[in-house]
Short mmCIF file of all heavy atoms in Angstrom, two decimals:
data_model
loop_
_atom_site.label_atom_id
_atom_site.label_comp_id
_atom_site.label_asym_id
_atom_site.label_seq_id
_atom_site.Cartn_x
_atom_site.Cartn_y
_atom_site.Cartn_z
N LEU A 32 152.46 40.57 5.29
CA LEU A 32 152.60 41.97 4.90
C LEU A 32 152.10 42.14 3.40
O LEU A 32 152.60 41.57 2.59
CB LEU A 32 154.04 42.33 5.01
CG LEU A 32 154.43 43.82 4.56
CD1 LEU A 32 153.83 44.80 5.38
CD2 LEU A 32 156.04 44.00 4.65
N GLU A 33 151.18 43.04 3.28
CA GLU A 33 150.60 43.28 1.98
C GLU A 33 151.28 44.52 1.33
O GLU A 33 151.75 44.53 0.23
CB GLU A 33 148.98 43.52 1.91
CG GLU A 33 148.54 43.95 0.63
CD GLU A 33 147.05 44.23 0.61
OE1 GLU A 33 146.62 44.70 1.66
OE2 GLU A 33 146.42 44.20 -0.48
N LYS A 34 151.28 45.64 2.04
CA LYS A 34 151.86 46.90 1.56
C LYS A 34 152.09 47.86 2.72
O LYS A 34 151.69 47.71 3.86
CB LYS A 34 150.82 47.56 0.52
CG LYS A 34 149.56 47.98 1.19
CD LYS A 34 148.53 48.58 0.14
CE LYS A 34 147.29 49.02 0.80
NZ LYS A 34 146.28 49.58 -0.15
N VAL A 35 152.96 49.01 2.36
CA VAL A 35 153.26 50.04 3.31
C VAL A 35 152.83 51.26 2.46
O VAL A 35 153.38 51.45 1.37
CB VAL A 35 154.69 49.96 3.77
CG1 VAL A 35 154.96 51.28 4.47
CG2 VAL A 35 154.95 48.77 4.55
N GLU A 36 152.10 52.12 3.12
CA GLU A 36 151.85 53.41 2.48
C GLU A 36 152.46 54.53 3.32
O GLU A 36 152.50 54.50 4.41
CB GLU A 36 150.32 53.77 2.40
CG GLU A 36 149.55 52.87 1.51
CD GLU A 36 148.01 53.24 1.45
OE1 GLU A 36 147.65 54.02 2.36
OE2 GLU A 36 147.37 52.79 0.62
N LEU A 37 153.12 55.49 2.61
CA LEU A 37 153.70 56.61 3.14
C LEU A 37 152.86 57.97 2.64
O LEU A 37 152.70 58.05 1.47
CB LEU A 37 155.17 56.83 2.75
CG LEU A 37 156.10 55.64 3.17
CD1 LEU A 37 157.51 55.95 2.62
CD2 LEU A 37 156.13 55.51 4.64
N VAL A 38 152.47 58.78 3.63
CA VAL A 38 151.65 59.84 3.28
C VAL A 38 152.30 61.11 4.04
O VAL A 38 152.53 60.96 5.28
CB VAL A 38 150.16 59.73 3.70
CG1 VAL A 38 149.35 61.01 3.32
CG2 VAL A 38 149.58 58.52 2.95
N ASN A 39 152.45 62.23 3.34
CA ASN A 39 153.05 63.36 4.10
C ASN A 39 152.02 64.09 5.08
O ASN A 39 150.96 64.25 4.68
CB ASN A 39 153.75 64.34 3.10
CG ASN A 39 152.71 65.20 2.20
OD1 ASN A 39 151.79 64.46 1.68
ND2 ASN A 39 152.89 66.40 2.03
N THR A 40 152.63 64.33 6.21
CA THR A 40 151.79 64.93 7.31
C THR A 40 152.02 66.44 7.37
O THR A 40 151.38 67.13 8.27
CB THR A 40 152.22 64.30 8.61
OG1 THR A 40 153.56 64.38 8.93
CG2 THR A 40 151.71 62.86 8.62
N GLU A 41 152.97 66.94 6.53
CA GLU A 41 153.28 68.26 6.55
C GLU A 41 153.98 68.64 5.16
O GLU A 41 154.41 67.66 4.51
CB GLU A 41 154.12 68.84 7.72
CG GLU A 41 155.50 68.12 7.84
CD GLU A 41 156.17 68.49 9.12
OE1 GLU A 41 156.85 69.50 9.09
OE2 GLU A 41 155.99 67.81 10.10
N PRO A 42 154.12 69.87 4.82
CA PRO A 42 154.77 70.17 3.45
C PRO A 42 156.14 69.61 3.50
O PRO A 42 156.74 69.59 4.52
CB PRO A 42 154.68 71.71 3.47
CG PRO A 42 153.58 72.09 4.31
CD PRO A 42 153.49 71.12 5.28
N LEU A 43 156.69 69.21 2.31
CA LEU A 43 157.92 68.68 2.22
C LEU A 43 158.56 68.96 0.82
O LEU A 43 157.90 69.35 0.00
CB LEU A 43 158.02 67.16 2.55
CG LEU A 43 157.17 66.27 1.70
CD1 LEU A 43 157.90 65.74 0.44
CD2 LEU A 43 156.83 65.06 2.47
N LYS A 44 159.86 68.81 0.74
CA LYS A 44 160.55 68.90 -0.56
C LYS A 44 160.86 67.50 -1.07
O LYS A 44 161.38 66.64 -0.27
CB LYS A 44 161.90 69.68 -0.44
CG LYS A 44 161.45 71.26 -0.42
CD LYS A 44 162.72 72.02 -0.94
CE LYS A 44 162.37 72.27 -2.41
NZ LYS A 44 163.10 73.26 -3.01
N PHE A 45 160.42 67.22 -2.33
CA PHE A 45 160.63 65.85 -2.81
C PHE A 45 160.96 65.90 -4.30
O PHE A 45 160.32 66.69 -4.98
CB PHE A 45 159.50 65.02 -2.65
CG PHE A 45 159.55 63.58 -3.11
CD1 PHE A 45 160.38 62.66 -2.34
CD2 PHE A 45 158.97 63.15 -4.22
CE1 PHE A 45 160.50 61.32 -2.74
CE2 PHE A 45 159.15 61.78 -4.69
CZ PHE A 45 159.93 60.95 -3.89
N MET A 46 162.04 65.39 -4.76
CA MET A 46 162.49 65.48 -6.13
C MET A 46 162.62 66.93 -6.58
O MET A 46 162.19 67.26 -7.69
CB MET A 46 161.47 64.61 -7.07
CG MET A 46 161.34 63.19 -6.62
SD MET A 46 162.70 62.24 -7.11
CE MET A 46 162.54 62.08 -8.85
N GLY A 47 163.04 67.76 -5.72
CA GLY A 47 163.23 69.21 -6.01
C GLY A 47 161.93 70.09 -6.02
O GLY A 47 161.96 71.18 -6.36
N GLN A 48 160.83 69.43 -5.65
CA GLN A 48 159.58 70.16 -5.62
C GLN A 48 159.01 70.30 -4.26
O GLN A 48 159.09 69.46 -3.40
CB GLN A 48 158.60 69.37 -6.52
CG GLN A 48 158.97 69.16 -7.91
CD GLN A 48 159.36 70.43 -8.61
OE1 GLN A 48 158.66 71.55 -8.44
NE2 GLN A 48 160.33 70.50 -9.58
N LYS A 49 158.35 71.47 -4.09
CA LYS A 49 157.66 71.57 -2.70
C LYS A 49 156.35 71.00 -2.90
O LYS A 49 155.49 71.35 -3.66
CB LYS A 49 157.50 73.17 -2.51
CG LYS A 49 156.84 73.30 -1.12
CD LYS A 49 156.67 74.88 -0.83
CE LYS A 49 156.04 75.05 0.54
NZ LYS A 49 155.56 76.31 0.79
N ILE A 50 156.11 69.89 -2.02
CA ILE A 50 154.80 69.21 -1.97
C ILE A 50 154.02 69.67 -0.80
O ILE A 50 154.53 69.57 0.42
CB ILE A 50 155.10 67.77 -1.83
CG1 ILE A 50 156.24 67.26 -2.87
CG2 ILE A 50 153.93 66.89 -1.96
CD1 ILE A 50 155.85 67.33 -4.32
N GLU A 51 152.75 70.09 -0.95
CA GLU A 51 151.94 70.45 0.13
C GLU A 51 151.41 69.25 1.00
O GLU A 51 151.55 68.14 0.53
CB GLU A 51 150.76 71.30 -0.43
CG GLU A 51 151.06 72.61 -1.08
CD GLU A 51 151.78 73.52 -0.19
OE1 GLU A 51 151.39 73.66 0.98
OE2 GLU A 51 152.66 74.15 -0.69
N TRP A 52 150.90 69.60 2.16
CA TRP A 52 150.49 68.65 2.92
C TRP A 52 149.44 67.72 2.41
O TRP A 52 148.52 68.16 1.75
CB TRP A 52 149.81 69.28 4.24
CG TRP A 52 149.22 68.39 5.30
CD1 TRP A 52 149.82 67.66 6.33
CD2 TRP A 52 147.90 67.96 5.36
NE1 TRP A 52 148.97 66.99 6.94
CE2 TRP A 52 147.77 67.10 6.44
CE3 TRP A 52 146.80 68.18 4.54
CZ2 TRP A 52 146.51 66.38 6.68
CZ3 TRP A 52 145.56 67.63 4.73
CH2 TRP A 52 145.45 66.65 5.93
N GLY A 53 149.69 66.34 2.60
CA GLY A 53 148.65 65.39 2.27
C GLY A 53 148.48 65.00 0.73
O GLY A 53 147.66 64.30 0.35
N VAL A 54 149.48 65.55 -0.09
CA VAL A 54 149.46 65.24 -1.57
C VAL A 54 150.56 64.43 -1.99
O VAL A 54 150.74 64.18 -3.27
CB VAL A 54 149.16 66.48 -2.36
CG1 VAL A 54 147.79 67.12 -2.10
CG2 VAL A 54 150.35 67.51 -2.22
N PHE A 55 151.40 63.85 -1.06
CA PHE A 55 152.48 62.93 -1.48
C PHE A 55 151.93 61.56 -0.92
O PHE A 55 151.59 61.47 0.32
CB PHE A 55 153.78 63.25 -0.81
CG PHE A 55 154.80 62.24 -0.87
CD1 PHE A 55 155.65 62.13 -2.00
CD2 PHE A 55 154.95 61.29 0.04
CE1 PHE A 55 156.59 61.12 -2.18
CE2 PHE A 55 155.93 60.28 0.05
CZ PHE A 55 156.75 60.19 -1.09
N GLN A 56 151.95 60.63 -1.78
CA GLN A 56 151.60 59.23 -1.33
C GLN A 56 152.55 58.20 -2.04
O GLN A 56 152.73 58.28 -3.34
CB GLN A 56 150.27 58.80 -1.68
CG GLN A 56 149.90 57.52 -1.10
CD GLN A 56 148.42 57.20 -1.32
OE1 GLN A 56 147.62 57.88 -1.99
NE2 GLN A 56 148.00 56.01 -0.74
N CYS A 57 153.17 57.31 -1.36
CA CYS A 57 154.04 56.27 -1.90
C CYS A 57 153.50 54.96 -1.23
O CYS A 57 153.46 54.81 -0.09
CB CYS A 57 155.53 56.50 -1.54
SG CYS A 57 156.65 55.17 -2.07
N THR A 58 153.22 54.03 -2.10
CA THR A 58 152.78 52.58 -1.74
C THR A 58 153.76 51.57 -2.25
O THR A 58 154.04 51.61 -3.41
CB THR A 58 151.39 52.39 -2.22
OG1 THR A 58 150.45 53.47 -1.89
CG2 THR A 58 150.78 51.17 -1.74
N VAL A 59 154.33 50.78 -1.33
CA VAL A 59 155.18 49.78 -1.58
C VAL A 59 154.37 48.50 -1.31
O VAL A 59 153.93 48.26 -0.26
CB VAL A 59 156.48 49.78 -0.68
CG1 VAL A 59 157.36 48.68 -1.08
CG2 VAL A 59 157.11 51.16 -0.87
N TYR A 60 154.33 47.63 -2.45
CA TYR A 60 153.70 46.38 -2.33
C TYR A 60 154.73 45.19 -2.08
O TYR A 60 155.75 45.27 -2.78
CB TYR A 60 152.90 46.06 -3.55
CG TYR A 60 151.77 47.11 -3.69
CD1 TYR A 60 152.00 48.11 -4.43
CD2 TYR A 60 150.49 46.84 -3.26
CE1 TYR A 60 150.93 49.11 -4.66
CE2 TYR A 60 149.41 47.80 -3.37
CZ TYR A 60 149.68 48.86 -4.08
OH TYR A 60 148.76 49.87 -4.32
N PHE A 61 154.41 44.30 -1.31
CA PHE A 61 155.32 43.20 -1.02
C PHE A 61 154.90 41.82 -1.40
O PHE A 61 153.67 41.55 -1.54
CB PHE A 61 155.64 43.12 0.46
CG PHE A 61 156.31 44.45 1.01
CD1 PHE A 61 155.57 45.55 1.40
CD2 PHE A 61 157.68 44.43 1.07
CE1 PHE A 61 156.21 46.61 1.88
CE2 PHE A 61 158.33 45.57 1.50
CZ PHE A 61 157.57 46.79 1.94
N GLN A 62 155.87 40.84 -1.62
CA GLN A 62 155.56 39.57 -1.92
C GLN A 62 156.36 38.64 -1.02
O GLN A 62 157.50 38.85 -0.74
CB GLN A 62 156.08 39.18 -3.37
CG GLN A 62 155.70 37.77 -3.84
CD GLN A 62 156.22 37.60 -5.25
OE1 GLN A 62 156.44 38.41 -6.07
NE2 GLN A 62 156.55 36.29 -5.54
N LYS A 63 155.65 37.69 -0.38
CA LYS A 63 156.35 36.75 0.55
C LYS A 63 157.24 35.74 -0.15
O LYS A 63 156.79 35.30 -1.27
CB LYS A 63 155.28 36.02 1.41
CG LYS A 63 155.91 35.31 2.54
CD LYS A 63 154.88 34.94 3.57
CE LYS A 63 155.39 34.32 4.79
NZ LYS A 63 154.57 33.99 5.87
N ILE A 64 158.39 35.36 0.30
CA ILE A 64 159.24 34.46 -0.18
C ILE A 64 159.04 33.15 0.58
O ILE A 64 159.36 33.15 1.73
CB ILE A 64 160.75 34.91 -0.16
CG1 ILE A 64 160.88 36.17 -1.00
CG2 ILE A 64 161.70 33.81 -0.75
CD1 ILE A 64 162.32 36.80 -0.77
N PRO A 65 158.46 32.17 -0.02
CA PRO A 65 158.23 30.90 0.78
C PRO A 65 159.49 30.26 1.20
O PRO A 65 159.49 29.64 2.33
CB PRO A 65 157.53 30.06 -0.29
CG PRO A 65 157.14 30.80 -1.35
CD PRO A 65 158.04 32.00 -1.39
N GLU A 66 160.60 30.32 0.60
CA GLU A 66 161.83 29.65 0.91
C GLU A 66 162.35 30.04 2.30
O GLU A 66 162.77 29.30 3.06
CB GLU A 66 162.99 29.80 -0.12
CG GLU A 66 162.60 29.28 -1.46
CD GLU A 66 161.79 30.21 -2.31
OE1 GLU A 66 162.09 31.54 -2.28
OE2 GLU A 66 160.90 29.79 -2.95
N ASN A 67 162.26 31.31 2.62
CA ASN A 67 162.82 31.77 3.89
C ASN A 67 161.89 32.69 4.79
O ASN A 67 162.25 33.18 5.91
CB ASN A 67 164.14 32.63 3.61
CG ASN A 67 163.92 33.85 2.96
OD1 ASN A 67 162.75 34.31 2.79
ND2 ASN A 67 164.96 34.62 2.51
N GLY A 68 160.59 32.78 4.27
CA GLY A 68 159.66 33.53 5.12
C GLY A 68 159.87 35.03 5.13
O GLY A 68 159.06 35.77 5.76
#
Side-chain angles (χ1 to χ4, degrees):
L32 174 61
E33 177 187 22
K34 64 183 176 178
V35 173
E36 289 182 348
L37 302 175
V38 179
N39 66 319
T40 56
E41 58 186 276
L43 60 86
K44 280 205 97 161
F45 182 75
M46 303 289 283
Q48 303 301 325
K49 183 179 178 188
I50 312 295
E51 294 301 322
W52 175 87
V54 294
F55 169 87
Q56 183 174 7
C57 177
T58 305
V59 182
Y60 297 91
F61 294 89
Q62 177 181 340
K63 191 169 188 172
I64 303 173
E66 298 84 38
N67 66 12

